[in-house]
C-alpha cells in the first residue's frame, strides 16, 4: 500500500557539511528507485535514480546507496548548500508496473 | 526537455462546485499520466493512473465518481474534482514519463485547491 507519513522528519545540517538522508522502502520486488527534491509549493524534481542491480550511483554532489537486504536507500549530499533546503522523497517502482510509490519524506534544513 | 505543465497553479472554489485541473506534457507524448494528492507535511499519495483513450485506473479508496479523469489526447489529462468539499482541499500534482517504465517521472508544479 501507500507509504504516507503523518509528519516529516527534519534533518538540520551546517552549510558545507555532508548530508545523509535515509529511506526504508516497502516492497522487496521493487526494481527501480528515485530520489526527488520538493521545494515549497512546487512539484517534485528528479535528483538521481538507481536500479536494483546496482548498490551505488553517483551524480554531481549526490550519491545514492541501495541495500536490498534491508530494503534501505540513502541519499548523500556533499558540501550541502542553502539551496539544498527542501523536502526529499525516495520513491520506488515495482517491476512490471508503471506507477511509483513515494516514501515518507525528510525535510532538510541547511544552517548558513 | 520533458516538461509537464499544470494549470491552474491555485484555485479557490465554493463547496459543492466542480473544479477542473489540466496536465499537459509539453515536449513529449504521454500515453500514461499519474495524479497525486499531497496534504501539508505529508508524502505524495497516488490517486489514479490516467490512460490515453481508455478509463483511468484508481487507487484503493479513491472515489472515481468524485475525481473524474479524462485523457483525451497524448499530451493532455484532466482531473475534475466534482462537488468539492473542504476536505478535498489539497495540493494536486500530475506527472508523466517521457521514457521507459524504469525512467523518472516528471512532475507538474501542482495545483493548490482550496474549497471554502
Amino acid at each position: 500500500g501507500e507509504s504516507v507519513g503523518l509528519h516529516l522528519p527534519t534533518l538540520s545540517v551546517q552549510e558545507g557539511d555532508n548530508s545523509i538522508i535515509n529511506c526504508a522502502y516497502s516492497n522487496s520486488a521493487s526494481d527501480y528507485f528515485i530520489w526527488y527534491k520538493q521545494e515549497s509549493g512546487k512539484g517534485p524534481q528528479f535528483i538521481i535514480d538507481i536500479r536494483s542491480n546496482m548498490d551505488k550511483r553517483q551524480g554531481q554532489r549526490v550519491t545514492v546507496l541501495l541495500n536490498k537486504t534491508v530494503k534501505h536507500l540513502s541519499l548523500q549530499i556533499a558540501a550541502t548548500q542553502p539551496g539544498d533546503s527542501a523536502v526529499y522523497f525516495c520513491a520506488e517502482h515495482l517491476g512490471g508496473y508503471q506507477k511509483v510509490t513515494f516514501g515518507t519524506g525528510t525535510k532538510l534544513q541547511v544552517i548558513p | 526537455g520533458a516538461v509537464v505543465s499544470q494549470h491552474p497553479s491555485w484555485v479557490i472554489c465554493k463547496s459543492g462546485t466542480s473544479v477542473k485541473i489540466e496536465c499537459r506534457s509539453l515536449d513529449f507524448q504521454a500515453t500514461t499520466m499519474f495524479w497525486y494528492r499531497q496534504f501539508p507535511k505529508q508524502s505524495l499519495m497516488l490517486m489514479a493512473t490516467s490512460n490515453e483513450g481508455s478509463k483511468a485506473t484508481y487507487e484503493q479508496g479513491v472515489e472515481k465518481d468524485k475525481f473524474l479523469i479524462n485523457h483525451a489526447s497524448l499530451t493532455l489529462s484532466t482531473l475534475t474534482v466534482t462537488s468539492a468539499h473542504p476536505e478535498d482541499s489539497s495540493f494536486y500534482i500530475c506527472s508523466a514519463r517521457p521514457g521507459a517504465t524504469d525512467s523518472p517521472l516528471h512532475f507538474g508544479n501542482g495545483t493548490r485547491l482550496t474549497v471554502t
Side-chain angles (χ1 to χ4, degrees), chain A residues 33-74:
Chain A
F33 306 87
I34 316 108
W35 278 100
Y36 287 96
K37 172 186 180 183
Q38 186 180 29
E39 297 175 340
S40 182
K42 295 185 178 181
Q45 179 184 3
F46 169 80
I47 302 174
I48 192 168
D49 57 1
I50 188 167
R51 288 173 175 74
S52 59
N53 60 354
M54 304 171 69
D55 52 22
K56 180 180 181 179
R57 190 165 189 220
Q58 288 184 290
Q60 189 176 13
R61 276 201 313 121
V62 293
T63 301
V64 55
L65 299 178
L66 173 64
N67 185 330
K68 294 184 289 293
T69 303
V70 294
K71 295 191 291 186
H72 184 268
L73 270 172
S74 69

Side-chain angles (χ1 to χ4, degrees), chain A residues 2-8 32 34 36 38 41-44 46 49 51 89 93 97-104, chain B residues 31-32 34 36 38 40-46 49 59 91 93 97 101-110 112:
Chain A
E2 294 289 333
S3 173
V4 176
L6 296 178
H7 66 277
L8 283 174
Y32 175 60
I34 316 108
Y36 287 96
Q38 186 180 29
K42 295 185 178 181
F46 169 80
D49 57 1
R51 288 173 175 74
F89 293 98
H93 171 266
Y97 293 88
Q98 294 231 32
K99 64 182 182 182
V100 170
T101 303
F102 278 73
T104 306
Chain B
T31 54
T32 305
F34 303 89
Y36 288 83
Q38 186 177 33
K41 297 186 179 181
Q42 291 192 22
S43 186
L44 283 77
M45 288 181 58
L46 179 64
T49 301
E59 295 300 299
F91 193 50
I93 315 171
R97 57 165 64 89
T101 53
D102 60 346
S103 63
L105 288 174
H106 291 255
F107 287 83
N109 265 334
R112 173 73 58 195

Side-chain angles (χ1 to χ4, degrees), chain B residues 79-94:
Chain B
L79 169 68
T80 301
V81 183
T82 62
S83 187
H85 291 284
E87 57 266 31
D88 299 323
S89 298
S90 190
F91 193 50
Y92 293 86
I93 315 171
C94 72

